[in-house]
Amino acid sequence: MSHVFLYGPPGTGKSTVGEHLAHRLSLPFVDLDVEIARASGRSISDLMAEGETVFRDLETAALFQAIGGPPSVIALGGGALLRAANRCCAQEHGRIVCLDADHATLLARLSQDEMPRPLLQEAPAAQLADLLAARRTHYRSFPTRIRLTGEADQGTSPPSAIADEIVRRLECLHVRTPDSGGYDVVLRSGGLAELGGELRMRDLAGPVAVVADDTVAHLYGRQAVESLKRAGYQVHLATFPAGERSKTIDTVATLWNEILDAGLGRTSCVVALGGGVTGDLAGFAAATFMRGIDWVGVPTTLLAMVDASVGGKTGIDLPDGKNLAGAFHHPRLVLVDPYVLETLPERDLRAGMAEVAKHGIVGDVDLFGIVEGGWDAVQRELVDVIRRALVVKVQVVEADPLERGIRASLNLGHTVGHAVEVASDYTLRHGEAVAIGLVAEALLAEALDVAQPGIAERTRRALRRLGLPVAIPDDISSEAIVRAMIADKKRASGAVHFTLPVAIGEVRTGFAVRDLRAALTACLAPASADDSRAATSPATDAPATDRRSRGEHG
Ligand SMILES: NC(=O)c1ccc[n+]([C@@H]2O[C@H](COP(=O)([O-])OP(=O)(O)OC[C@H]3O[C@@H](n4cnc5c(N)ncnc54)[C@H](O)[C@@H]3O)[C@@H](O)[C@H]2O)c1
Ligand SMILES: [Zn+2]
């Protein structure tokens, strides 16, 4: 987790709230004013008396020092982010939460201070009013703002409640969509039990159909249904056989009929409870039922949490290939509860890490760094790994909601990956096929001089450390992969389009490759027999060999 900065006008209780928040997040607490006084051996009032610039310089130095330390909750002085450089640095290294209250509330709180605040010593009421007027636009420019007052006449909420509210807000990402107000992605351990309340909060109407495959229905169906019933919804649980083979129009047709019988109408809502298959199927059923009804994603695999559930792509497979029919239909909410990963088979958890690694390569060098730390490191930081991967997905999806350009960057590893998945007759998990695709496409990028040398080896090594296969299994021929690729929907005017890595954290889209056979020869040869081993057998951490010196890609 990165830093959390608490900011806002004097009197908002940043220090007290900060202590509660740090406790809730198990992070150290840093009070910047205390650090400045300690470092200079003087009180803040003394320093301010010498001139605001003197104090602000010390404040900037203290801020930069705190940012260089371990992830912490950092309470800032009320003007600490007025300097653009300070603000930029804080934004880059964490999340800023701005506390807020009206003049009367702040004045009442400040009057209880033993020592008057430096800028409010002579005529506190007037000085505070001036300060708030001067900084109003500044404070309002921070997107995450929390007001101290709850209901009218109830006074301010206690610091612990404000800290809880901050935690809730930090658990939430928001995806902006061009056609509507967008939707929240709530990342909350234990959130499944609150599903009903989350739907109510967003004014979603019933009856609700929870769609789950039989495995997930058995594990979590009841919990979801009960939460929805507690919130007053009429609920129907619709199930289908687990697995990619169910992602067909026949299953969708069965779902349409079932939810119609269950009384769902134009204003009803579908909840997709499960992995990527369930999200794609139930989302597509919702997109097409009565020309489109609301749906909510409750992803239960890592892959679905970090990738499939966000972005509004829904669809089904056809006999000729994956995802060949579908629709863009954004969910109204995505609720990610990492607790449910406890029951996910390790093979699926590892497979999901391939998409996490992909997101690191696409746009988060630090995330890729965690991935390179291996299986224990990603497990230890699982919630943060999920959050970071989600942030990349949200950013890309927002920049290109209909996949007309930059969103194709998320196809990294998938041009080869989809073909490998189909050619394996779905014996490989989607994520395993993507792992093979990520390495193959990195090799292709090196062969085409698009990528920095060594990126393929770095990718291969990281994925091996997660126990993922990184080369095609012996029983799949390159011919089968070429055939599958030609059927791939990304084919356009005779060429297959690749997204290729340039560096970790940077990819380029739209590389047309006409001679697939030649391209595949360059990028599909295994570096070692171990590379194509299934993810179920954990990888060793042995150093990778230099494939160039072994002349394996001709
Ligand atoms: N729409 C998109 O943007 C997008 C993006 C990436 C992938 N996808 C699609 O996602 C699909 C792959 O997703 P997936 O790997 O999640 O497959 P999946 O939905 O089939 O889930 C994998 C297996 O895990 C089981 N499972 C799910 N959650 C569990 C839990 N918490 N505990 C125990 N078992 C659990 C399921 O029953 C299933 O057997 C592919 O069809 C792919 O095309 C879609
Ligand atoms: Zn994928």
Side-chain angles (χ1 to χ4, degrees):
M1 174 158 209
S2 45
H3 299 294
V4 179
F5 299 95
L6 282 188
Y7 190 50
T12 39
K14 298 177 289 279
S15 305
T16 323
V17 171
E19 268 169 10
H20 283 273
L21 183 62
H23 180 71
R24 279 284 266 109
L25 298 174
S26 304
L27 291 177
F29 175 60
V30 177
D31 187 330
L32 209 65
D33 280 357
V34 171
E35 291 308 310
I36 297 166
R38 199 195 340 255
S40 64
R42 305 176 56 190
S43 73
I44 303 296
S45 303
D46 278 355
L47 293 167
M48 282 297 261
E50 244 186 84
E52 193 172 337
T53 314
V54 174
F55 170 74
R56 295 281 173 223
D57 287 345
L58 290 170
E59 184 176 53
T60 300
L63 175 64
F64 279 62
Q65 182 155 14
I67 285 173
S72 309
V73 172
I74 304 173
L76 303 169
L81 302 183
L82 289 167
R83 286 188 175 174
N86 293 6
R87 180 175 185 161
C88 275
C89 192
Q91 272 166 348
E92 246 174 60
H93 290 91
R95 279 160 295 164
I96 303 167
V97 178
C98 191
L99 303 180
D100 201 6
D102 58 32
H103 177 266
T105 307
L106 292 173
L107 194 63
R109 291 168 63 103
L110 287 165
S111 66
Q112 288 163 14
D113 280 2
E114 282 170 22
M115 292 275 290
R117 304 287 173 111
L119 292 173
L120 309 169
Q121 282 169 345
E122 280 133 35
Q127 284 179 303
L128 179 65
D130 290 347
L131 182 144
L132 292 178
R135 295 184 188 167
R136 181 168 293 122
T137 318
H138 172 65
Y139 288 134
R140 285 193 181 158
S141 67
F142 293 91
T144 310
R145 288 200 313 284
I146 293 182
R147 283 190 75 77
L148 299 189
T149 34
E151 299 293 311
D153 304 322
Q154 285 185 1
T156 56
S157 316
S160 60
I162 296 168
D164 286 351
E165 172 66 6
I166 294 172
V167 171
R168 265 193 295 279
R169 291 286 289 276
L170 293 176
E171 280 169 337
C172 191
L173 300 168
H174 188 78
V175 188
R176 281 168 298 192
T177 52
D179 50 340
S180 64
Y183 54 96
D184 287 338
V185 180
V186 175
L187 172 56
R188 185 181 307 152
S189 299
L192 182 56
E194 296 163 20
L195 175 65
E198 292 292 331
L199 262 70
R200 276 275 171 248
M201 219 183 281
R202 287 163 182 83
D203 292 329
L204 291 167
V208 175
V210 175
V211 177
D213 69 31
D214 41 18
T215 307
V216 174
H218 177 72
L219 288 165
Y220 300 108
R222 206 167 132 194
Q223 205 183 339
V225 167
E226 280 179 2
S227 171
L228 288 160
K229 282 190 174 162
R230 274 198 307 276
Y233 286 105
Q234 184 191 322
V235 191
H236 172 77
L237 179 64
T239 62
F240 63 90
E244 183 76 31
R245 284 184 185 284
S246 284
K247 217 172 98 175
T248 62
I249 193 64
D250 291 345
T251 314
V252 172
T254 307
L255 285 175
W256 285 330
N257 288 319
E258 207 173 325
I259 64 181
L260 188 64
D261 288 348
L264 271 78
R266 292 189 54 99
T267 58
S268 306
C269 179
V270 168
V271 171
L273 173 70
V277 166
T278 306
D280 282 6
L281 263 178
F284 185 61
T288 43
F289 183 72
M290 297 194 174
R291 297 197 182 82
I293 64 170
D294 287 333
W295 74 288
V296 166
V298 184
T300 62
T301 62
L302 178 60
L303 178 142
M305 288 179 184
V306 300
D307 194 3
S309 62
V310 170
K313 279 199 325 188
T314 70
I316 51 164
D317 302 332
L318 297 182
D320 270 354
K322 278 178 56 69
N323 304 327
L324 286 179
F328 277 101
H329 188 50
H330 289 289
R332 290 285 308 275
L333 162 74
V334 176
L335 178 62
V336 178
D337 178 355
Y339 278 169
V340 302
L341 294 177
E342 267 174 33
T343 52
L344 188 69
E346 189 177 304
R347 184 174 174 192
D348 290 287
L349 196 60
R350 288 182 193 272
M353 282 297 166
E355 303 279 7
V356 170
K358 177 192 81 177
H359 289 186
I361 301 171
V362 167
D364 185 345
V365 181
D366 292 341
L367 175 59
F368 193 77
I370 301 175
V371 166
E372 283 183 306
W375 187 239
D376 289 346
V378 291
Q379 293 251 85
R380 222 176 17 248
E381 308 205 23
L382 191 56
V383 176
D384 200 34
V385 160
I386 294 171
R387 181 182 297 113
R388 296 192 80 115
L390 269 170
V391 167
V392 173
K393 174 90 190 206
V394 169
Q395 282 168 346
V396 176
V397 161
E398 280 189 348
D400 180 15
L402 294 176
E403 199 169 325
R404 301 241 159 87
I406 190 68
R407 181 150 166 194
S409 60
L410 296 172
N411 287 337
L412 184 73
H414 282 62
T415 308
V416 172
H418 274 166
V420 171
E421 190 180 5
V422 174
S424 82
D425 204 17
Y426 300 108
T427 53
L428 284 175
R429 295 280 193 273
H430 174 75
E432 291 168 356
V434 168
I436 294 169
L438 285 172
V439 177
E441 293 177 13
L443 284 167
L444 182 63
E446 284 189 16
L448 295 174
D449 274 336
V450 171
Q452 290 172 350
I455 195 170
E457 186 50 35
R458 210 175 144 189
T459 306
R460 178 182 160 280
R461 194 185 313 191
L463 295 168
R464 289 274 307 139
R465 294 193 72 181
L466 296 176
L468 287 162
V470 288
I472 52 164
D474 294 340
D475 55 349
I476 302 179
S477 69
S478 354
E479 187 50 40
I481 295 174
V482 174
R483 269 202 309 274
M485 247 162 148
I486 286 169
D488 195 291
K489 70 179 186 315
K490 285 168 208 80
R491 180 176 48 143
S493 58
V496 170
H497 288 265
F498 284 86
T499 293
L500 296 177
V502 176
I504 301 299
E506 186 188 348
V507 295
R508 241 182 258 161
T509 58
F511 284 92
V513 172
R514 273 165 212 283
D515 190 348
L516 280 177
R517 272 176 194 81
L520 286 174
T521 316
C523 69
L524 282 176
S528 75
D530 272 358
D531 280 353
S532 50
R533 199 169 53 176
T536 36
S537 28
T540 65
D541 283 343
T545 47
D546 179 354
R547 62 173 63 227
R548 278 183 195 281
S549 65
R550 294 163 53 182
E552 273 160 354
H553 53 154

